[in-house]
Amino acid sequence: MKMYMKSIAVDDQSKALDFYTSKLGFVVKHDIPLGEHRWLTLVSKEETEGVELGLEPNAHPATRAYQEALMADGIPVSAFRVDDIEAEFTKLEAVGVEFTQPPVKAGGATMAVFDDTCGNLIQLVQLHV
């Protein structure tokens, strides 16, 4: 068994698509219309055959409540691993990504958190192993 997809609920799929592709550099894997929403998945440029990131509409009340509660408490919904967090932080800030936490070392990792503009906080992690 292998991981296929991880999903993130977003308040606007088109806005999320723009943010995740133009700011973060992900590429579209699937974009299939499904009524008022889409089956929308992205992959990393570095892992085009890797785990897909699903940008799911937060249309269900429970999903929206969960998303809002995490945001209100400052809890990231997901984490992306990077090789050089300082370089990634500088690059993302330069294109307008807003960080709620700059890089902070904690044990064997350095972490930062940004707002994806679609209702979520996302953590960047660099492991020091």
Side-chain angles (χ1 to χ4, degrees):
M1 189 178 306
K2 296 180 184 179
M3 263 215 228
Y4 164 59
M5 183 173 76
K6 71 189 289 183
S7 295
I8 293 178
V10 296
D11 57 17
D12 181 318
Q13 285 184 300
S14 294
K15 182 178 168 186
L17 176 61
D18 180 57
F19 180 85
Y20 280 84
T21 57
S22 69
K23 303 281 189 194
L24 302 186
F26 286 92
V27 294
V28 175
K29 182 77 171 195
H30 300 285
D31 188 353
I32 303 165
L34 293 172
E36 77 178 89
H37 302 294
R38 300 143 72 174
W39 177 260
L40 182 57
T41 68
L42 310 175
V43 290
S44 166
K45 286 181 185 176
E46 290 84 24
E47 294 181 310
T48 58
E49 297 304 315
V51 175
E52 296 176 33
L53 176 64
L55 300 178
E56 304 277 353
N58 69 351
H60 191 282
T63 302
R64 200 167 21 260
Y66 172 75
Q67 182 184 35
E68 290 169 358
L70 289 180
M71 179 63 92
D73 289 345
I75 300 171
V77 70
S78 192
F80 302 150
R81 184 174 174 178
V82 296
D83 293 327
D84 183 342
I85 199 162
E86 292 295 339
E88 198 70 33
F89 175 77
T90 300
K91 179 180 88 174
L92 293 176
E93 264 201 328
V95 297
V97 174
E98 293 185 21
F99 281 80
T100 61
Q101 176 190 308
V104 173
K105 190 164 183 163
T110 302
M111 298 166 282
V113 178
F114 65 85
D115 184 330
D116 77 350
T117 73
C118 303
N120 303 293
L121 297 175
I122 305 293
Q123 185 175 64
L124 295 181
V125 177
Q126 178 184 347
L127 299 176
H128 306 289
V129 288

